[in-house]
Amino acid sequence: MVATDTDAEEAATLPRRRYGGWSRLAAGAAVWLVSAVGSYLLGLGWISTLLIATFIASVTCYWGSYLTKRVARAVLAIAIVATGVFFMVRLLPGNPVDVYIAKIVAEGVPYEQAAAQAAAFYSFDPGTPLWQQYLQYMWGLLNGDFGTTLTHVPVLEKIGGHLPWTLFSVGLAMIISVSIGLLLGMIMAYRRGGVIDHSISAIGSALHAIPNYLMALMIVVIGGVQLRLFTLADIRGTYSAGQTPGLNMEFIQDAMYHATLPVLAYVLTTVGTWALIMKASTTQALGEDYVMVARARGLGGGRIGSMYVGRNAVLPLVAQIATQAGFVVGGAIFVEIIFAYNGVGYTLYRAINDRDYALIQGLLLVITITVVFANLLADLSYGLLDPRIRTAGKEEES
Amino acid sequence: MSVLTPSPSIPRHGLFYRLTRNKVGVAGFIIVGGIIAMTLIAPLLLDTSVPGDAQNTWSGPSAQHWLGTDNAGKDVLHQVLLGGGTVLFVGMTAAAITTIIAVVFGALAAYLRGPVDSFLLQATDIVMTVPQIVLLAVLGSFFQLTSPTVLAILIGCLSWPILMRSIRAQVLSLKEREFVEAAKLLDLGTARVVFAEIVPNMAGYILINFIIAVTNAIYALVGMYVLGLAPLAGANWGIMIRKAWTYGAMSLPEGTLFMMAPVAMIALLQLGLIMLTRSLEEVFNPRLAEG
């Protein structure tokens, strides 16, 4: 069903070899030390040194373990995506420096001089061979250096200024959406076939069918233009023009006000899906023997609902919630553009328009890393939350 | 978790009966069928160039223009009737590509296991990791994606991993069944066992996922149009929304219909497709109907 169940199955079918405890640990420590000294001498920063040494040591000495394998796969995926993005962005026509040079040459400045001027203004030199640029970029990444934007701001700093807004709006929406969805789903499962079940099902599928950016447009047209609940010019953006970011009531209120519309768009389009998934999961849990036993023991409905049904119904959803959380950051791009919400998606859109290579790479890499880590967490949570998967080999077939 | 029901348990002649018995399914079928019929018939009856009426720009609904006109005085109703072609074509083609890749890779990975399986799984990891909407946005803004076919291929090639993984899980379960064992013992060859014995048993599951893939492809396509990342050549619902947005239709009371009509059409199409999958699920998986 979910993308991740195959990995849980791998964890299950993997032969559980016992490694020769101390000798393996010693070998791991030795490899760790060698690679740590090696990468430090190569000129890496100390945080990267520690991470890389740990990675090399665990991969070489604990390769059979599921955790190592899974982490190695995640790192490989990130490396390949980083490489792909690097070349894709550069193979495409129209780099910003050429545009700039063409503009100055048209004003009568000789080409050489124009090129020098452009090189001085932009932190990007198209004359460097591609492979050299690539090696520089990857080496920078290992050091935690994402390069600088065209206007000489470090990419990480730039991303750091926008990522919190996306995380804030998307995170808030997910918390609201998941909790309402799970609650509605349980009610639907308890009242199967009733009026509530049918009406929530119908509304849920209708809302699920509407793409989130169309929902955002509808909110603007119906709420802002027809009903005049808000003025679009005021509510656009992340916070009002006069405000300075800080931890005071006024600013938080303002930020919440500006987040309302994006959050509403996300919640409306996802809450139905969660309700329907939770309904299926609860229906299954309600049919289990232990629920019947709990009823026979005379336990109260509320206790059964929360302790016996609710927990077991939510369990299979945790991995799905984690997977979704990863995708949502990348999917926020449309809604952020419509509401001019100054998060990662909106920044990426402007970076693409400005052909700001370093910023595009950095943003895509951050989005990739979020997805990879969300998937990693989802995979690991399977084994941790449901012990049956670790022991029963046949679980793979569900 | 939807456990696959092998199709032998569904009598062939009962399929139509089961489909028509489900009200939601019939409604979905009528919506989708109606929209497809509309996009096929409209170009035959209407002037496809939609001449502008310079006297009546941004006019509200009238007897002459039922849904009003846009910034160039073009009739909104005509544009809506004519504008479904690209959306449907790209949606279906992209979904077909996605489904074919997913079924072939998923079935082979599960049947062969070993290195093929791990390689394909790593490939899904990578393709799935690239945020596809974002990648489409990047590609769309750099390349001139004027051909709908290219757009469809691009969308189709980016969205197969999730379906491939669930197909793989289904085949893992199916390949333990007796009829597959029998086919293997008869030494029918990998291709024959996989594509003639196993895959037909997932027909219902594949059909449902094809329809879901259509909705996803339409989501990506219209999203690109709304952002202005796909070229705004010709006329379709996505381009209408983009134009309505850039010309500020939502701030004009008369422009509301120009913006909302295509939005409503796309939402209706998506809703129809989802309703269709819901009822198909009940047909192919009778246990759901009880729940």
Side-chain angles (χ1 to χ4, degrees):
Chain A
M1 236 206 82
V2 201
T4 45
D5 54 12
T6 48
D7 296 293
E9 156 241 313
E10 262 176 33
T13 50
L14 235 125
R16 322 213 91 223
R17 272 172 283 164
R18 282 272 150 251
Y19 300 110
W22 289 110
S23 54
R24 180 168 289 264
L25 192 64
V31 173
W32 188 88
L33 207 65
V34 170
S35 39
V37 171
S39 37
Y40 191 77
L41 289 179
L42 277 173
L44 284 171
W46 63 273
I47 297 180
S48 326
T49 303
L50 290 183
L51 282 176
I52 289 168
T54 313
F55 180 68
I56 294 176
S58 54
V59 166
T60 47
C61 293
Y62 287 88
W63 177 246
S65 118
Y66 173 66
L67 180 66
T68 316
K69 246 183 169 169
R70 191 61 194 77
V71 172
R73 255 172 66 187
V75 172
L76 181 63
I78 293 177
I80 291 180
V81 171
T83 308
V85 166
F86 178 90
F87 285 106
M88 195 183 70
V89 168
R90 272 172 183 69
L91 284 174
L92 301 164
N95 77 58
V97 179
D98 286 349
V99 175
Y100 185 79
I101 293 176
K103 203 174 80 185
I104 315 182
V105 169
E107 287 164 8
V109 182
Y111 182 83
E112 301 295 315
Q113 206 181 324
Q117 217 174 321
F121 182 70
Y122 288 115
S123 58
F124 165 70
D125 174 21
T128 327
L130 202 58
W131 61 270
Q132 219 166 320
Q133 285 183 41
Y134 174 67
L135 287 183
Q136 266 170 14
Y137 173 64
M138 288 312 258
W139 184 248
L141 281 189
L142 279 182
N143 278 309
D145 174 15
F146 284 50
T148 56
T149 65
L150 284 179
T151 45
H152 300 287
V153 182
V155 168
L156 274 183
E157 196 178 295
K158 178 90 177 155
I159 295 175
H162 296 288
L163 190 61
W165 293 110
T166 298
L167 292 180
F168 165 63
S169 60
V170 166
L172 187 64
M174 260 202 100
I175 292 169
I176 297 174
S177 171
V178 168
S179 29
I180 297 178
L182 296 191
L183 202 67
L184 287 179
M186 268 192 91
I187 296 173
M188 282 159 77
Y190 267 95
R191 303 268 156 88
R192 270 198 307 291
V195 184
I196 301 180
D197 179 19
H198 282 301
S199 45
I200 298 180
S201 280
I203 297 170
S205 350
L207 290 178
H208 167 76
I210 301 172
N212 56 10
Y213 48 87
L214 293 189
M215 181 63 81
L217 288 178
M218 285 190 204
I219 292 174
V220 170
V221 172
I222 295 171
V225 183
Q226 300 290 320
L227 301 176
R228 306 201 176 283
L229 294 176
F230 52 84
T231 39
L232 186 62
D234 285 351
I235 205 165
R236 291 186 89 182
T238 25
Y239 50 85
S240 305
Q243 297 281 346
T244 40
L247 270 180
N248 52 51
M249 259 337 267
E250 205 187 338
F251 179 72
I252 293 173
Q253 251 176 9
D254 189 58
M256 287 298 242
Y257 173 65
H258 284 274
T260 319
L261 294 190
V263 167
L264 190 65
Y266 299 135
V267 169
L268 283 178
T269 46
T270 52
V271 69
T273 321
W274 291 119
L276 292 173
I277 296 175
M278 184 63 183
K279 181 200 163 188
S281 184
T282 311
T283 310
Q284 205 174 7
L286 278 173
E288 300 281 350
D289 294 339
Y290 55 75
V291 176
M292 205 187 288
V293 173
R295 283 217 183 96
R297 276 168 64 200
L299 294 179
R303 195 178 147 90
I304 296 180
S306 61
M307 301 290 286
Y308 288 75
V309 180
R311 284 191 178 193
N312 286 295
V314 173
L315 205 64
L317 297 186
V318 172
Q320 286 193 42
I321 295 172
T323 315
Q324 275 306 312
F327 283 113
V328 164
V329 175
I333 180 165
F334 296 125
V335 175
E336 284 185 1
I337 290 167
I338 288 171
F339 292 122
Y341 198 78
N342 214 349
V344 173
Y346 191 45
T347 312
L348 178 64
Y349 179 66
R350 280 178 303 175
I352 291 171
N353 284 342
D354 298 345
R355 302 284 196 269
D356 193 336
Y357 293 163
L359 189 53
I360 300 175
Q361 286 165 13
L363 285 167
L364 286 181
L365 200 62
V366 166
I367 295 173
T368 306
I369 292 173
T370 348
V371 177
V372 168
F373 271 88
N375 278 338
L376 189 64
L377 280 181
D379 279 4
L380 298 180
S381 75
Y382 261 112
L384 287 179
L385 288 174
D386 195 344
R388 280 175 300 179
I389 289 173
R390 273 178 291 177
T391 47
K394 280 292 161 191
E395 207 72 18
E396 66 190 68
E397 271 130 39
S398 59
Chain B
M1 314 277 142
S2 54
V3 177
L4 194 78
T5 337
S7 51
S9 69
I10 304 166
R12 289 253 171 249
H13 62 270
L15 189 68
F16 186 72
Y17 171 73
R18 278 160 187 267
L19 262 181
T20 48
R21 215 178 44 159
N22 183 308
K23 279 182 221 142
V24 180
V26 173
F29 191 75
I30 292 173
I31 293 174
V32 176
I35 291 175
I36 292 176
M38 183 187 90
T39 49
L40 289 179
I41 295 170
L44 305 176
L45 302 178
L46 297 168
D47 181 359
T48 43
S49 61
V50 193
D53 180 352
Q55 312 295 316
N56 281 317
T57 55
W58 292 127
S59 74
S62 63
Q64 207 184 348
H65 304 289
W66 289 5
L67 291 180
T69 56
D70 67 0
N71 59 311
K74 294 186 176 190
D75 188 273
V76 172
L77 180 63
H78 283 203
Q79 293 189 53
V80 166
L81 289 176
L82 290 167
T86 318
V87 175
L88 278 171
F89 171 76
V90 173
M92 301 231 170
T93 316
I97 294 169
T98 300
T99 315
I100 291 170
I101 298 178
V103 168
V104 171
F105 283 3
L108 287 179
Y111 188 75
L112 298 174
R113 296 307 297 263
V116 179
D117 192 24
S118 6
F119 174 76
L120 286 174
L121 277 183
Q122 180 71 55
T124 60
D125 256 10
I126 292 161
V127 180
M128 199 158 58
T129 304
V130 183
Q132 59 151 311
I133 302 279
V134 176
L135 184 63
L136 279 175
V138 174
L139 289 178
S141 64
F142 283 114
F143 289 125
Q144 285 301 308
L145 302 168
T146 32
S147 149
T149 320
V150 175
L151 267 175
I153 293 172
L154 210 59
I155 295 174
C157 289
L158 285 174
S159 41
W160 55 270
I162 293 182
L163 180 57
M164 178 271 184
R165 286 187 168 222
S166 45
I167 296 273
R168 177 180 170 277
Q170 299 276 11
V171 174
L172 277 180
S173 133
L174 272 176
K175 79 173 198 180
E176 307 294 331
R177 303 268 170 94
E178 288 87 352
F179 67 92
V180 179
E181 291 292 325
K184 268 195 229 166
L185 287 176
L186 283 173
D187 208 13
L188 290 179
T190 306
R192 176 103 186 261
V193 176
V194 172
F195 296 110
E197 300 292 332
I198 296 179
V199 171
N201 273 288
M202 302 187 296
Y205 187 78
I206 294 173
L207 180 62
I208 291 169
N209 279 290
F210 169 75
I211 298 177
I212 294 175
V214 175
T215 64
N216 289 336
I218 292 177
Y219 173 86
L221 175 74
V222 176
M224 285 173 72
Y225 279 125
V226 170
L227 294 194
L229 295 175
L232 303 176
N236 64 50
W237 296 333
I239 293 174
M240 284 177 76
I241 300 174
R242 170 71 187 175
K243 278 188 181 160
W245 178 256
T246 41
Y247 294 127
M250 65 280 160
S251 52
L252 299 160
E254 297 83 11
T256 309
L257 277 173
F258 179 43
M259 168 154 255
M260 291 316 274
V263 169
M265 285 312 293
I266 292 163
L268 199 64
L269 176 59
Q270 301 280 66
L271 183 60
L273 289 167
I274 300 256
M275 281 158 90
L276 209 53
T277 62
R278 286 276 144 74
S279 65
L280 281 175
E281 254 164 29
E282 282 182 14
V283 171
F284 289 112
N285 193 355
R287 285 209 288 170
L288 276 180
E290 300 154 19

